[in-house]
Amino acid sequence: MRIRHLNILAALLLLTACSSEEIVKEQEAHEFTLTSEIIPFEGETAATRSNLEGTGFEDGDWIRLKIICPFVDSSEYGESTWGNSYDAFFLLKRKGGAWTYLTADDHCDINGTYNYSGSPQVGSFYEAQQTPYVYMASTWSEEKNFKTSKGTHVLQYCHVFHADQRKPEHYKASDLLWAQQYMQTGAWNVHLSFEHKMACITFELDDAELTEPLTNDAMLTLEGMPDIDQQEIIVGDYYAEKSKINSAGNFNYKNKSACNYDYNGKVIGIGVNVDAEQRSYAYPMTGNPNPAYTKTFSGSEIVPNTGTYTAYKIDNTHYRMIVPPCVLTENAQIWIRDGERRYKMQLTRKDFHEGELYPVKVKIVR
C-alpha cells in the first residue's frame, strides 16, 4: 500500500513518501498535512488508476479538493477560496515526485478571468474551527469553460470518461478516484483513502483454435454500453447539499452531486448542463441510484446503452477496460477485430459495481 504525505506551508505544498512503518516527524506549528492512499480494485493487489504498473501516481495527475462544514450556517476557513476558483475547489497536481498547486503553466482558467491562472492554496490559512469538517477529493482531467444563454460564465473541473481507451492516457483518465474524510473539528492532519469509483474488466483471449494467432493489429471493443464518451462522471456527495460556496448560479457541484445518504460515494450518473433550466443535473445510467432531486427523469434523460468502448491492449491476448457502474438491460457484445477477421461473443455479465475488477476469459473459435 502506498501512503504519501502532503505538507502544505502557506504558499508551498510538498509531498514526501513513507511506508506505514515509518514514524512521521512532528510537524511545525500550524502546518497542514494531508496523507493519502489508494485502495485497489476488489480482486487486485495493486492500485491501477495512477499508472499502468500500479505503483503510484504519475506526474501530470490532477486532484481537486473541496471542504464543507455541514453543521454551521457560517462559512468556515477552508470552505471558501474567496472567488479564486469555481465551487471553492483547491486544485493540485503531481509533479517531480511531489504534489503541488496548479499554475498558469497548466493552461487552466481557474478563476474565470479568461486567462491562465493558478490554484488557491489550502495552506494559506489556519483551519482549526470547532465544528465538523468534511473533506472530499477526486481525480479530474478536463476543465469545462462556457457561457450560458443568459451570459453566466461557468467553469467546471471534471472527470471525463473516454470510450476509446487504446491510448494509456485515456485509459487512466477514465478511471475515477474519490475520497471523503469526516473530521470532528478543523484539522491540520487529514488522511484520505482514495477508492475506485469505476469498474474494470480484464479480458484474456484464448486463440489456440485459430489457424493463425491474433496479430498486433487485433483490437477489442464492447458494444451496448452506456453512451458516455467525453462525459463527466458524477459521484454522489451527501454533504454537497450543505455546500455554502457554489459558483455560476445553479451550474455547480452542489446541484450535480447532492444525494440521499444511502447514495453517498456512489456513481449517480453523468453531469449535464441544461441551459433551458439554467442548472446542472446528474443524468442517471441504467441501474444508477436516483439522486435526491425533485426532478423526475424521463426515459429520454436516462443514458442509453448504445455506446461502444475500445479496450486498452496489454498484448495480443490481454486487454483492460474501464467501465461505469451500471446495470445493463441487455447483454453487451464483445467484438475482436484483427485485419479482415471478425469474432463476436456475448458478455454474460450485466451489472457492474464501483471498485470491482471483473476477469473475463474469451475463447475464440473459428
Side-chain angles (χ1 to χ4, degrees):
M1 182 176 294
R2 301 278 297 184
I3 300 179
R4 300 189 179 275
H5 293 261
L6 187 64
N7 302 319
I8 307 174
L9 286 170
L12 180 65
L13 185 148
L14 300 173
L15 181 71
T16 57
C18 70
S19 70
S20 58
E21 290 80 17
E22 289 178 333
I23 298 175
V24 180
K25 294 181 180 180
E26 184 177 353
Q27 305 296 327
E28 298 177 7
H30 306 308
E31 182 177 0
F32 183 84
T33 302
L34 179 66
T35 61
S36 61
E37 63 178 323
I38 298 175
I39 299 175
F41 282 111
E42 183 68 28
E44 190 163 50
T45 57
T48 54
R49 153 64 180 88
S50 310
N51 56 39
L52 297 172
E53 295 77 21
T55 57
F57 285 105
E58 287 186 322
D59 279 5
D61 287 343
W62 292 353
I63 61 173
R64 61 180 193 174
L65 173 67
K66 186 169 180 63
I67 303 172
I68 299 173
C69 296
F71 302 120
V72 292
D73 294 331
S74 58
S75 179
E76 305 296 332
Y77 283 131
E79 290 190 282
S80 175
T81 59
W82 292 279
N84 291 314
S85 68
Y86 273 58
D87 285 331
F89 275 109
F90 299 98
L91 306 174
L92 312 173
K93 66 180 178 181
R94 182 77 173 166
K95 181 180 180 181
W99 285 105
T100 186
Y101 295 106
L102 265 65
T103 68
D105 292 338
D106 295 297
H107 294 176
C108 288
D109 178 17
I110 293 173
N111 57 13
T113 60
Y114 296 100
N115 295 300
Y116 296 144
S117 53
S119 171
Q121 301 180 1
V122 69
S124 61
F125 48 79
Y126 298 149
E127 191 178 288
Q129 284 63 49
Q130 295 181 359
T131 184
Y133 272 65
V134 178
Y135 300 83
M136 188 288 300
S138 65
T139 51
W140 69 288
S141 56
E142 297 182 24
E143 181 182 48
K144 290 184 179 180
N145 190 336
F146 61 93
K147 268 195 171 183
T148 70
S149 61
K150 293 188 176 181
T152 303
H153 185 196
V154 180
L155 285 179
Q156 297 174 333
Y157 318 113
C158 305
H159 167 271
V160 175
F161 179 81
H162 295 264
D164 187 344
Q165 299 172 20
R166 283 176 290 180
K167 293 182 178 180
E169 59 268 28
H170 292 163
Y171 166 81
K172 292 186 295 181
S174 297
D175 189 8
L176 171 60
L177 289 177
W178 186 89
Q180 189 177 68
Q181 178 63 282
Y182 183 97
M183 304 293 287
Q184 290 296 327
T185 64
W188 295 326
N189 299 282
V190 177
H191 182 74
L192 295 174
S193 296
F194 284 92
E195 300 176 345
H196 294 272
K197 291 303 170 183
M198 304 292 275
C200 182
I201 305 176
T202 59
F203 297 92
E204 181 180 348
L205 310 186
D206 180 358
D207 61 356
E209 291 191 12
L210 299 182
T211 304
E212 296 181 3
L214 295 172
T215 72
N216 291 334
D217 294 329
M219 59 183 294
L220 185 150
T221 61
L222 193 59
E223 297 183 0
M225 298 296 291
D227 192 359
I228 57 171
D229 186 34
Q230 303 301 308
Q231 299 297 322
E232 178 189 10
I233 304 299
I234 304 298
V235 177
D237 181 356
Y238 172 69
Y239 298 101
E241 185 65 35
K242 299 296 184 179
S243 174
K244 307 179 189 72
I245 314 300
N246 301 286
S247 303
N250 289 318
F251 294 92
N252 53 46
Y253 175 78
K254 177 179 179 179
N255 282 343
K256 289 187 292 186
S257 300
C259 68
N260 295 328
Y261 182 80
D262 291 342
Y263 304 151
N264 186 62
K266 296 182 180 295
V267 169
I268 58 176
I270 61 171
V272 178
N273 300 304
V274 183
D275 189 75
E277 299 181 37
Q278 287 292 294
R279 66 160 291 165
S280 297
Y281 291 100
Y283 278 21
M285 293 171 274
T286 56
N288 286 165
N290 189 32
Y293 295 134
T294 55
K295 175 182 175 66
T296 300
F297 291 101
S298 65
S300 63
E301 292 171 326
I302 297 174
V303 177
N305 295 322
T306 55
T308 298
Y309 302 168
T310 305
Y312 170 75
K313 178 191 287 189
I314 299 173
D315 56 44
N316 291 348
T317 57
H318 294 85
Y319 296 79
R320 294 180 73 97
M321 181 183 291
I322 299 296
V323 301
C326 62
V327 178
L328 301 176
T329 53
E330 297 180 3
N331 294 92
Q333 303 299 315
I334 304 169
W335 280 90
I336 311 297
R337 294 173 172 85
D338 187 11
E340 295 182 353
R341 294 187 290 179
R342 300 287 188 273
Y343 307 98
K344 180 182 179 182
M345 290 133 285
Q346 188 178 85
L347 183 67
T348 57
R349 173 172 290 277
K350 290 184 179 180
D351 58 316
F352 304 93
H353 302 278
E354 289 94 345
E356 295 285 341
L357 181 75
Y358 299 102
V360 174
K361 292 187 177 182
V362 180
K363 185 175 180 62
I364 304 176
V365 295
R366 291 178 291 175

